[in-house]
Amino acid sequence: MTCGVDHKEGDAFYMRHALEEAKEAYRDNEVPVGAVVVCKGRIIARAHNLTERLKDVTAHAEMQAITAAANFLGGKYLNDCTLYVTVEPCVMCAGAIAWAQMGRLVFGAPDVKRGYRQYASQALHPRTEVVEGVLAEECAELMRRFFQGKR
Amino acid sequence: MTCGVDHKEGDAFYMRHALEEAKEAYRDNEVPVGAVVVCKGRIIARAHNLTERLKDVTAHAEMQAITAAANFLGGKYLNDCTLYVTVEPCVMCAGAIAWAQMGRLVFGAPDVKRGYRQYASQALHPRTEVVEGVLAEECAELMRRFFQGKR
């Protein structure tokens, strides 16, 4: 018998932290995407989209989380890490996830318009394990609410 | 009769500045890629690859140049700008170029292994004009020399 949380429960736990980040983005009138990086059971980086505040298209949650995690670890490869992000990464972020050789990528809602799978399904590192759909409905609902408010 | 440099001469002129950046990367033992962003005939950003120094996979020349250009202009869209980069951008950088709605992309050497066209040929914004092969041999030679030195 094993003790502790299994992957599925653990994934939902960390995705809630990513969702908290996404909600912070929402409150700041940013496209509500949040991310955390987890290494050996510990959150080592957390970030949310800041493209409007920084006026910088590269300031996606994932990009900042990858930079912060590498900074924390003192090395640019994140093989032992899992990136949790509330929405399927775009092409840019998928490229960064590949360069970082991320161990696992767990995302919530799919993004059929801007998600990397639409443009570059082979963009990730072949060893990166991908899990989708964790708290997908909550992650998607936040995005829907944001874009409805924009119309 | 028109006066001033035509596009082709102008492209080589600005690519030389990108090459200067790439040479600086080479001297710092970084993969030698350099980039400049030009807006209305003026270089508004210049950068070279800093992934080793910063221990950050996102610190590609193009990413930094895009961030710096947006910062200079005070807006995240770069429709009126041209990005000159010595080597074909990777998937990550192509994604950033797309989000920035870059007016033109001019690159030197192709990158058959890591270039965006291999993975995500549709990743760029449809309105971004792409020119390749400007000072291609010089740009490629610097990369060859770098990787030969690594063996």
Side-chain angles (χ1 to χ4, degrees):
Chain A
M1 201 171 111
T2 58
C3 62
V5 292
D6 66 13
H7 246 349
K8 205 174 159 192
E9 280 178 48
D11 284 346
F13 174 81
Y14 294 119
M15 189 61 83
R16 284 202 192 286
H17 282 273
L19 254 170
E20 284 310 311
E21 287 292 321
K23 286 172 187 169
E24 205 159 314
Y26 183 93
R27 285 190 289 271
D28 288 348
N29 212 23
E30 300 274 0
V31 174
V33 180
V36 299
V37 175
V38 174
C39 185
K40 295 171 181 151
R42 186 175 169 198
I43 293 175
I44 61 167
R46 49 192 309 146
H48 56 267
N49 180 33
L50 284 173
T51 49
E52 295 304 322
R53 187 186 295 179
L54 299 181
K55 293 190 176 64
D56 183 354
V57 296
T58 74
H60 282 193
E62 302 94 312
M63 303 298 283
Q64 296 175 74
I66 287 169
T67 296
N71 193 42
F72 178 87
L73 294 174
K76 62 185 178 150
Y77 295 118
L78 304 176
N79 316 67
D80 291 334
C81 299
T82 300
L83 173 71
Y84 293 87
V85 56
T86 55
V87 179
E88 179 186 344
C90 73
V91 168
M92 172 180 73
C93 293
I97 291 162
W99 284 118
Q101 300 182 12
M102 189 71 66
R104 288 178 81 225
L105 162 67
V106 180
F107 65 87
D111 183 349
V112 290
K113 266 181 83 174
R114 299 287 201 162
Y116 76 96
R117 294 179 299 182
Q118 190 79 352
Y119 295 93
S121 57
Q122 303 304 309
L124 295 183
H125 194 279
R127 280 200 292 270
T128 300
E129 182 197 344
V130 180
V131 176
E132 69 168 293
V134 176
L135 306 187
E137 190 39 48
E138 287 179 60
C139 296
E141 171 57 22
L142 197 61
M143 291 286 274
R144 269 196 299 272
R145 220 185 325 146
F146 179 81
F147 286 108
Q148 270 164 8
K150 292 282 167 198
R151 275 183 211 127
Chain B
M1 202 172 113
T2 60
C3 62
V5 293
D6 66 13
H7 246 349
K8 205 172 160 192
E9 280 178 47
D11 284 347
F13 174 82
Y14 294 119
M15 189 61 84
R16 285 203 192 286
H17 283 274
L19 255 170
E20 283 310 311
E21 288 292 321
K23 286 173 187 169
E24 206 160 314
Y26 183 92
R27 285 189 289 271
D28 288 349
N29 212 22
E30 299 274 0
V31 175
V33 181
V36 300
V37 175
V38 174
C39 185
K40 295 173 182 148
R42 188 174 165 197
I43 294 175
I44 61 168
R46 48 192 310 146
H48 57 266
N49 180 34
L50 284 173
T51 48
E52 296 305 323
R53 186 185 296 179
L54 300 182
K55 292 191 177 62
D56 182 353
V57 296
T58 75
H60 282 194
E62 302 95 310
M63 303 298 282
Q64 296 176 74
I66 287 169
T67 296
N71 193 42
F72 178 87
L73 294 174
K76 62 184 178 151
Y77 295 119
L78 304 176
N79 316 67
D80 291 334
C81 299
T82 299
L83 173 70
Y84 292 87
V85 56
T86 55
V87 179
E88 179 186 345
C90 73
V91 168
M92 172 180 73
C93 294
I97 292 163
W99 284 117
Q101 301 181 12
M102 190 70 67
R104 289 178 81 224
L105 162 66
V106 180
F107 65 87
D111 183 350
V112 290
K113 266 181 83 174
R114 299 287 201 162
Y116 76 96
R117 294 179 298 182
Q118 191 78 353
Y119 296 93
S121 58
Q122 303 303 309
L124 295 183
H125 194 280
R127 278 199 292 270
T128 300
E129 182 197 344
V130 181
V131 176
E132 70 168 294
V134 175
L135 305 187
E137 190 39 48
E138 287 177 61
C139 296
E141 170 58 22
L142 197 61
M143 292 286 275
R144 268 197 299 272
R145 220 186 322 148
F146 179 81
F147 286 108
Q148 270 165 8
K150 291 282 167 199
R151 272 184 213 127

